[in-house]
Structures are given as C-alpha cells and as structure tokens.
C-alpha cells in the first residue's frame, strides 16, 4: 500500500516549533557552559575560529533534531496508514460435522500401547466426475484437488469439527478468490463454494500423515451443499487394506 504525502497542519507545525525550541535550548546549554568556562580560563575573548566552530556545532545539532522531530511523526502516520490498509479476513465456517465410530469398531485398538500421538486428518474435495482428459495430460488422476484440509490431534469420539475459511483452505481451494487488491479473500468467489463436497476422514494411529497402519480408521461421506452438518463413520480398512498398509508403516 502506498501512503499519501503528509501535509502538516497549523497545530502540528506549532507543536513542532515549540519542541524544536525546547530541545535546541537543552542541547545548546552544554555548549554555552563550555564556552563560558573556556573564556574564564583564557581571560580573553574567543577567537573567530572558535565562534565559527560553535556555530557549526549548534547548526548541526538543530538540523539533526529538526529531522528527527519532523520525520518521526510522518513515518508513524505512514505505518498507521499501512496497517489500516491491510484488510483483515474474518473467519467463515464452511462446513461442520460429526465423526463417530461404526458399530463394532474397537477403540482404542487393543494392539496399540498408546494413542496419545494419534490424529484425525480431514480433507474435502468437490464432488465432481473425474476429468479423464486432465488425468492423461497432467497425471492428476482427473480428480478435483482438496479445497479444505485439517488435522485434529488426539481425538475422542464422537468428534465435532468445523472447517473454517481461510484457516483450513488449501492453496488450490483459495485460488481464484482474490478480491483484486491482493490483501483480502472473497469468500463468495471461491470456485468450488457452490459444489457438494466429498468429506474424507482418517484416524492415523501415529499422527504422521505419510504413514499408513493396519489400525488406522477411515470414513467418507458426501456433504450436500446447504446441509447443516456432515456425518462420518470411521471403520477399519478391511482385510485387503490392512494387508497393504501393514508393510507401509
């Protein structure tokens, strides 16, 4: 943000003048005392060189004080204008829901000594058909990218959650949402905001997103745009899923 040039008001100029006079008197007092002491020692009138020297010192001090007094308020005002120009983004709840355990799910799993480091990983992506041409061209598998993501540490069930903009927006989810000045986020301009969302949840036993374990629990649902809440049930991966993930810890 570029701040406008500051135009001092009459009151501001008056205050600066008074401050300059006071500070100049304070700074000149040591020089005056020094000159009096020097004159008394020498019992002679000061030479022209000493007078010029004192005047040079006095002028330098006054210039330095004037610069600091005049520039400091302008810099402070410029900083205030910059802060005022920054648009704060109010948090907006995009989606709320509850995660529960499916019938028959043992929690915590008896095979785990502790679940204190576990975490829930939540992701949401638009519920759109796979784009096969895009999958061929860019290797994205044709699926829309995740637009919301969150991590919840050491959860207990049932678990209520809220996904909030801009906190939980992914980079892809926030794209095309700039209000035009690079400082704010236009929530209504999010490219996916009117879409239904596929909500996926995974309880990760060790809390590390990159790992997979047979004990991990997974669940998925489709949240219809306009619904009050999303309801997810977590269950096991099944025999095949446990076999595949057993070697990827």
């Amino acid at each position: 943000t570029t701040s406008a040039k500051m135009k001092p008001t009459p009151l501001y100029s008056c205050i600066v003048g008074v401050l300059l006079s006071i500070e100049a008197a304070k700074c000149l007092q040591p020089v005056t005392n020094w000159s009096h002491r020097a004159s008394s020692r020498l019992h002679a009138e000061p030479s022209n060189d000493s007078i010029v020297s004192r005047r040079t010192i006095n002028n330098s001090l006054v210039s330095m004080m004037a610069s600091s007094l005049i520039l400091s308020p302008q810099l402070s005002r410029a900083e205030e204008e910059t802060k005022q120009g920054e648009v704060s983004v109010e948090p907006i709840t995009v989606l709320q829901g509850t995660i529960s355990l499916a019938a028959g799910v043992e929690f915590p799993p008896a095979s785990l000594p502790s679940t204190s480091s576990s975490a829930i990983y939540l992701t949401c992506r638009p519920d759109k058909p796979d784009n096969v041409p895009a999958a061929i061209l860019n290797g994205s598998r044709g699926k829309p990218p995740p637009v919301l993501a969150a991590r919840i540490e050491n959860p207990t069930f049932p678990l209520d959650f809220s996904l909030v903009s801009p906190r939980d927006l992914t980079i892809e989810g926030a794209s095309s949402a700039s209000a035009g000045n690079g400082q704010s986020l236009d929530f209504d301009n999010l490219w996916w905001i009117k879409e239904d969302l596929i909500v996926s949840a995974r309880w990760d036993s060790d809390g590390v997103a990159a790992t997979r374990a047979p004990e991990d629990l997974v669940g998925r649902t489709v949240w219809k745009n306009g619904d009050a809440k999303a309801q997810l049930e977590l269950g096991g991966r099944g025999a095949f899923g446990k076999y595949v993930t057993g070697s990827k810890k």
Side-chain angles (χ1 to χ4, degrees):
T1 305
T2 304
S3 59
K5 293 184 178 179
M6 305 302 303
K7 295 183 178 180
T9 62
L11 176 60
Y12 174 74
S13 300
C14 180
I15 294 173
V16 170
V18 172
L19 292 175
L20 279 174
S21 301
I22 295 173
E23 294 300 324
K26 290 180 181 178
C27 293
L28 290 178
Q29 188 61 43
V31 178
T32 304
N33 294 340
W34 171 79
S35 64
H36 287 166
R37 288 196 299 270
S39 298
S40 63
R41 288 195 189 101
L42 295 175
H43 301 284
E45 292 296 327
S47 64
N48 291 333
D49 291 341
S50 64
I51 293 175
V52 172
S53 177
R54 270 180 282 163
R55 286 178 179 173
T56 303
I57 294 173
N58 296 344
N59 291 337
S60 299
L61 290 172
V62 171
S63 298
M64 291 171 61
M65 289 185 297
S67 298
S68 62
L69 288 172
I70 292 173
L71 293 178
S72 295
Q74 290 184 350
L75 290 176
S76 299
R77 290 189 183 183
E79 290 174 357
E80 288 180 5
E81 286 186 358
T82 299
K83 291 179 180 179
Q84 291 175 359
E86 295 176 355
V87 180
S88 60
V89 180
E90 293 296 328
I92 299 175
T93 300
V94 182
L95 186 151
Q96 293 179 313
T98 301
I99 302 174
S100 55
L101 300 174
V105 172
E106 179 187 20
F107 189 87
S111 58
L112 295 178
S114 173
T115 60
S116 59
S117 61
S118 66
I120 282 282
Y121 288 95
L122 272 166
T123 58
C124 297
R125 67 176 72 242
D127 184 20
K128 289 185 175 182
D130 293 352
N131 188 331
V132 177
I136 297 173
L137 293 174
N138 56 30
S140 64
R141 295 184 296 174
K143 297 182 181 297
V147 294
L148 294 164
R151 181 180 188 272
I152 304 171
E153 296 182 353
N154 195 20
T156 56
F157 301 100
L159 173 68
D160 292 327
F161 67 89
S162 295
L163 297 178
V164 178
S165 169
R167 182 193 67 192
D168 300 319
L169 284 177
T170 64
I171 295 176
E172 296 84 359
S175 64
S176 304
S178 173
N181 57 7
Q183 294 179 335
S184 62
L185 191 70
D186 184 1
F187 179 78
D188 294 329
N189 198 35
L190 293 169
W191 61 271
W192 49 270
I193 199 60
K194 296 181 180 180
E195 302 288 342
D196 299 338
L197 297 177
I198 299 174
V199 185
S200 300
R202 176 167 64 92
W203 177 77
D204 193 281
S205 56
D206 62 5
V208 180
T211 63
R212 300 290 187 274
E215 295 84 3
D216 292 352
L217 303 175
V218 294
R220 184 171 112 155
T221 191
V222 175
W223 173 76
K224 296 295 182 181
N225 198 305
D227 284 356
K229 284 189 174 183
Q231 302 291 336
L232 290 90
E233 281 193 349
L234 296 183
R237 293 182 178 275
F240 179 75
K242 290 182 178 181
Y243 170 78
V244 172
T245 57
S247 60
K248 294 186 177 182
K249 285 195 71 175

